[in-house]
Amino acid sequence: MSRVSRRTLLTGGLGLTGLGVGAAAAGVGLAREDAQPEPSTLPFFGVHQSGIVTPMQTHASFIGLDLLDRSDHDALRGILRMWSQDAANLTQGKAGFSDTEPELASTPARLSVAVGLGRGAFTSPALAGRRPSWLRPLPAFAIDRLEERWGQTDVVVHVASDDPMTLAHAVRAITAPVRRRTRLRWVQQGFHHGRNLFGQVDGTVQPADDRHDDLVWDDGSEQGWMAGGTSLVLRRIAMNMDTWEALDRHGRELSTGRTLDNGAPLTGSNEHDQPVFTATRGGIPVIPESSHIARAHQRSDREQFLRRPYNYDVPPDSGLIFAAYQRDPVVQYVPVQQRLSDADALNEWTTPIGSAVYAMLPGAREYLGETLFGDGG
Amino acid sequence: MSRVSRRTLLTGGLGLTGLGVGAAAAGVGLAREDAQPEPSTLPFFGVHQSGIVTPMQTHASFIGLDLLDRSDHDALRGILRMWSQDAANLTQGKAGFSDTEPELASTPARLSVAVGLGRGAFTSPALAGRRPSWLRPLPAFAIDRLEERWGQTDVVVHVASDDPMTLAHAVRAITAPVRRRTRLRWVQQGFHHGRNLFGQVDGTVQPADDRHDDLVWDDGSEQGWMAGGTSLVLRRIAMNMDTWEALDRHGRELSTGRTLDNGAPLTGSNEHDQPVFTATRGGIPVIPESSHIARAHQRSDREQFLRRPYNYDVPPDSGLIFAAYQRDPVVQYVPVQQRLSDADALNEWTTPIGSAVYAMLPGAREYLGETLFGDGG
């Protein structure tokens, strides 16, 4: 397939995935092979926010903000209205409302802006009853060495684009106008590649495309206003390159359970082959029980979630910004993370240093958060 | 021109520019319009180092290192030999010598690795007499607010690629093996766009392609070993987005002397039109005398140098990593910088916080620095 027709194909699929209809798993594969900036746009308005099941863009920033006055839910609504107005323009290649560098907005390159709320955003009496029950701190995992500077915030904005300048401009547009109302806690910048900095193929296992409505998107059964939203678990995982590189190649493959060259499970030959955990060689499991994929593999139908890994490289620190999206993190994500904490071989070289949970808002008809502030949706 | 044939054209030109024959000014234009990752490779061996007159890659890191023992010039030679061996492989898409993530090396995306030496690298008796006379601190400029953390180092490595993962991998390959011999002072990460974060078209004025041998490359007349090398002035310039954006659009154009939409001088209509500094309207200069282009404009033939601006965005800090290459910084760069320091209107919104000067080594036949350690070349 020529580069041009491939681009056309990818572009054709984007509107659909932005609305949650498209194929995330297929999209990941495309993004990996065809990583150059895309001239196309993602929808801002829709049932779901773009940037979640969307094929991953090359560059992303997660912005963590605290509200200066948590009790002022009108201020929060004002922020969300303003962001919606700007994002509706910027994602379509138009200048933001108070944009003084409109030329930097002209190449959206699949820009997406998605907003989520942390537990602290539900402090006001008007909103306290609307907090999803799963929106609470994750259990303390034994492997965690969490640093306050990468911790939970009241609000998160996930901005992503194939163009680093477009991303920088959008991050500025998001953060600058809200400084009287919020405190910027952190910006986590990352890039997507298909491999992480350990050289491992990453993000292979994903829910099937036709399970998004079931596994990713909230149906509003607990909190009506959340219908079309989802949850985000955001983990910052430091990776110790020195000790990892001291390990021989076979040892590195055993710790993951996959080959390094193409990410195939050690019992298979292609990335998407199903691992066979019962296979043995000379009485020894081919995929060690303590390997990452053996521990991470779903043990029930609910233990599935969307994996969106971004690499960060801020010398001398590097690692992974691991974003997991699922309808209910307590039921879907936590059991897997608990098993990894208990005995993942990779723990020797990785350290979670940041952790946060957010309710990612439903898509906007008029503005993000409209159902939260409306009659319950 | 179709995207594919354009790519072929660009690729065809790269081998030439890597050897210093090609068209840097034309190359800048191409890089601006056609910014997606390139599958192609740049030569490592040659008369000049790649990555200097090469059309700018999208992503770059400048790595500043100090030598732990400046008197040990054998250690420096060993470092340069090792880097040469790794860079010769990595730039061609092959694994580095001790590369434990060879899969991350497979897409060079125009990777270049260029090495320069600061004044401190010439401390040993054997090298003291080989220091170029211009390799000394820049004069203190009144506008400078230099921070030690972005200051002069003994060695710099400029790594650039269109792929952020390739870049991260190469930076790791450069820094990890030398930690017993060097101290990592800083890594300055940037991206190239054609505009800076103020929205200004940047890097317009460049020496003509046929003047590189005269204006950029050292001919060895002072230090024989430097033939084929050049000098790098590396300035880190913080940009105050808040106060800049408070200025109206006309004020911003007057401060630069160019339009914001396409970078044309205020007396012209296209980016590369020659500014007419004598033009007046109602008795007032169309391009103010204090504007950036009026102050930066060359007042003699020697006041020309190659501009290689990269944007940095480390919220809440953003600005420009300004790399200037010229045969002699004292004669070519300093007079221009002095005029800018004296009265550039842009100074109100920009602050130099880092400054360093390096002798960029000639290209390698066998290894970088071979003429420095040899018989004088």
Side-chain angles (χ1 to χ4, degrees):
Chain A
M1 194 183 296
S2 84
R3 194 172 285 273
V4 172
S5 64
R6 162 146 228 153
R7 180 176 312 257
T8 308
L9 178 71
L10 183 57
T11 308
L14 290 175
L16 294 176
T17 56
L19 294 166
V21 185
V28 170
L30 281 174
R32 194 172 293 163
E33 293 167 51
D34 194 340
Q36 57 269 69
E38 283 292 326
S40 53
T41 58
L42 298 175
F44 175 71
F45 296 104
V47 177
H48 309 297
Q49 294 192 87
S50 287
I52 296 173
V53 299
T54 307
M56 291 179 79
Q57 298 98 324
T58 309
H59 301 279
S61 286
F62 291 87
I63 308 166
L65 301 147
D66 279 345
L67 300 168
L68 290 188
D69 183 356
R70 285 179 171 172
S71 68
D72 186 353
H73 64 270
D74 277 337
L76 175 58
R77 178 160 50 181
I79 290 169
L80 294 173
R81 278 188 186 276
M82 191 177 50
W83 281 344
S84 300
Q85 184 167 324
D86 274 344
N89 283 316
L90 290 170
T91 56
Q92 307 309 305
K94 300 173 198 159
F97 180 69
S98 56
D99 202 332
T100 54
E101 290 91 24
E103 287 81 7
L104 301 184
S106 60
T107 308
R110 303 201 297 133
L111 176 68
S112 62
V113 176
V115 178
L117 301 180
R119 182 185 174 96
F122 294 87
T123 304
S124 78
L127 299 186
R130 300 202 162 185
R131 180 171 62 79
S133 58
W134 46 256
L135 187 56
R136 55 181 199 256
L138 296 181
F141 298 109
I143 52 171
D144 287 355
R145 298 291 178 273
L146 302 183
E147 301 176 12
E148 175 65 16
R149 63 180 173 138
W150 304 118
Q152 180 72 52
T153 62
D154 296 340
V155 182
V156 72
V157 187
H158 170 49
V159 190
S161 171
D162 291 321
D163 185 317
M165 174 59 95
T166 302
L167 180 66
H169 181 61
V171 169
R172 167 88 188 150
I174 296 295
T175 54
V178 300
R179 279 178 301 189
R180 286 194 318 124
R181 301 288 187 180
T182 64
R183 185 164 67 94
L184 182 66
R185 284 274 305 282
W186 40 252
V187 176
Q188 302 196 40
Q189 297 178 319
F191 60 93
H192 169 65
H193 178 272
R195 291 182 185 268
N196 62 33
L197 289 157
F198 279 174
Q200 301 163 330
V201 176
D202 206 350
T204 300
V205 177
Q206 303 288 0
D209 313 335
D210 60 4
R211 299 293 304 279
H212 287 169
D213 281 343
D214 176 23
L215 293 167
V216 178
W217 303 122
D218 196 294
D219 64 357
S221 57
E222 188 209 328
Q223 291 287 354
W225 72 270
M226 267 295 286
T230 184
S231 77
L232 164 64
V233 174
L234 189 68
R235 306 268 294 175
R236 189 174 181 90
I237 302 169
M239 291 165 43
N240 190 325
M241 299 296 293
D242 292 336
T243 54
W244 173 253
E245 291 180 354
L247 190 65
D248 67 24
R249 192 167 172 94
H250 186 56
R252 280 179 276 140
E253 293 186 332
L254 286 176
S255 72
T256 318
R258 293 187 181 276
T259 65
L260 284 163
D261 63 349
N262 70 351
L266 297 181
T267 52
S269 52
N270 295 305
E271 180 189 350
H272 291 283
D273 288 348
Q274 279 297 319
V276 181
F277 297 109
T278 53
T280 59
R281 194 174 294 140
I284 296 169
V286 177
I287 299 175
E289 287 174 29
S290 65
S291 68
H292 181 73
I293 62 165
R295 302 298 296 178
H297 187 74
Q298 66 181 83
R299 301 198 179 174
S300 77
D301 183 66
R302 297 315 291 171
E303 289 181 1
Q304 299 187 63
F305 47 84
L306 200 63
R307 293 166 161 83
R308 287 290 182 264
Y310 296 93
N311 304 296
Y312 72 84
D313 183 48
V314 188
D317 300 320
S318 55
L320 199 71
I321 303 164
F322 184 75
Y325 296 95
Q326 56 284 304
R327 189 162 153 177
D328 184 333
V330 176
V331 172
Q332 295 169 257
Y333 173 86
V334 168
V336 177
Q337 182 59 58
Q338 187 63 57
R339 279 201 302 276
L340 295 177
S341 177
D342 292 344
D344 179 4
L346 275 183
N347 291 342
E348 188 164 338
W349 306 280
T350 60
T351 309
I353 58 173
S355 186
V357 186
Y358 300 96
M360 299 302 288
L361 299 172
R365 278 169 303 183
E366 292 182 38
Y367 73 98
L368 292 170
E370 60 204 2
T371 55
L372 173 62
F373 294 100
D375 62 357
Chain B
M1 191 184 298
S2 82
R3 192 172 287 273
V4 172
S5 64
R6 163 148 228 151
R7 179 178 311 258
T8 309
L9 177 72
L10 183 57
T11 308
L14 291 175
L16 294 175
T17 55
L19 294 166
V21 184
V28 170
L30 281 175
R32 194 172 294 162
E33 293 168 51
D34 194 340
Q36 54 269 69
E38 282 295 327
S40 52
T41 58
L42 299 175
F44 175 72
F45 296 103
V47 176
H48 309 297
Q49 294 193 86
S50 288
I52 295 172
V53 299
T54 307
M56 291 179 77
Q57 299 98 323
T58 309
H59 301 279
S61 285
F62 291 88
I63 307 166
L65 300 147
D66 280 345
L67 301 168
L68 290 187
D69 182 357
R70 284 178 171 174
S71 68
D72 186 355
H73 64 270
D74 277 337
L76 175 58
R77 178 159 50 182
I79 289 168
L80 294 172
R81 278 188 186 275
M82 190 177 52
W83 280 344
S84 300
Q85 182 167 325
D86 274 344
N89 282 317
L90 289 170
T91 56
Q92 306 309 305
K94 300 172 198 159
F97 179 68
S98 56
D99 202 330
T100 53
E101 290 90 26
E103 287 80 7
L104 301 183
S106 60
T107 309
R110 303 199 298 132
L111 175 69
S112 63
V113 176
V115 178
L117 301 180
R119 183 185 174 97
F122 295 87
T123 304
S124 77
L127 299 184
R130 301 202 160 185
R131 180 171 60 80
S133 59
W134 45 255
L135 188 55
R136 53 182 200 256
L138 296 181
F141 299 109
I143 51 171
D144 287 354
R145 298 293 178 271
L146 302 183
E147 301 175 13
E148 175 65 17
R149 62 180 175 139
W150 304 118
Q152 180 72 52
T153 62
D154 296 339
V155 182
V156 72
V157 187
H158 170 48
V159 189
S161 171
D162 291 322
D163 184 318
M165 175 58 95
T166 301
L167 180 66
H169 181 61
V171 169
R172 167 87 190 152
I174 296 295
T175 54
V178 300
R179 280 179 299 189
R180 287 195 318 128
R181 301 286 187 181
T182 64
R183 184 165 67 93
L184 182 67
R185 286 274 304 282
W186 40 252
V187 176
Q188 303 196 40
Q189 296 178 322
F191 60 94
H192 169 65
H193 178 271
R195 292 183 184 268
N196 62 33
L197 289 157
F198 279 176
Q200 300 163 329
V201 176
D202 205 350
T204 300
V205 177
Q206 303 288 0
D209 312 334
D210 60 3
R211 298 293 305 279
H212 286 171
D213 281 344
D214 178 22
L215 293 167
V216 178
W217 302 123
D218 196 294
D219 65 356
S221 57
E222 188 210 329
Q223 291 286 356
W225 72 270
M226 268 295 287
T230 184
S231 76
L232 164 64
V233 175
L234 189 66
R235 306 269 292 174
R236 189 174 181 90
I237 302 169
M239 291 164 44
N240 191 326
M241 299 296 294
D242 293 335
T243 55
W244 174 254
E245 292 180 354
L247 190 65
D248 67 25
R249 192 167 173 94
H250 186 56
R252 279 178 276 141
E253 292 186 332
L254 286 175
S255 71
T256 319
R258 294 187 181 277
T259 66
L260 283 163
D261 62 348
N262 70 351
L266 296 181
T267 54
S269 52
N270 295 305
E271 178 189 351
H272 291 283
D273 288 349
Q274 279 297 318
V276 181
F277 296 109
T278 54
T280 59
R281 192 175 295 141
I284 296 169
V286 178
I287 298 175
E289 289 174 28
S290 66
S291 68
H292 180 73
I293 63 164
R295 302 299 296 179
H297 188 74
Q298 66 181 84
R299 301 198 180 175
S300 77
D301 183 65
R302 297 314 292 169
E303 290 181 359
Q304 299 186 64
F305 46 84
L306 200 64
R307 294 166 163 84
R308 288 289 182 263
Y310 296 92
N311 305 295
Y312 72 83
D313 183 48
V314 189
D317 301 321
S318 56
L320 200 70
I321 303 164
F322 184 75
Y325 295 95
Q326 55 284 304
R327 187 161 154 178
D328 184 331
V330 176
V331 173
Q332 295 169 256
Y333 173 86
V334 168
V336 177
Q337 182 58 59
Q338 187 63 58
R339 280 202 302 277
L340 294 176
S341 178
D342 292 345
D344 178 5
L346 275 184
N347 291 342
E348 189 163 337
W349 306 280
T350 59
T351 308
I353 59 173
S355 186
V357 186
Y358 299 96
M360 298 303 288
L361 300 173
R365 279 168 303 182
E366 290 182 39
Y367 73 98
L368 291 170
E370 61 205 1
T371 56
L372 173 61
F373 295 100
D375 63 359

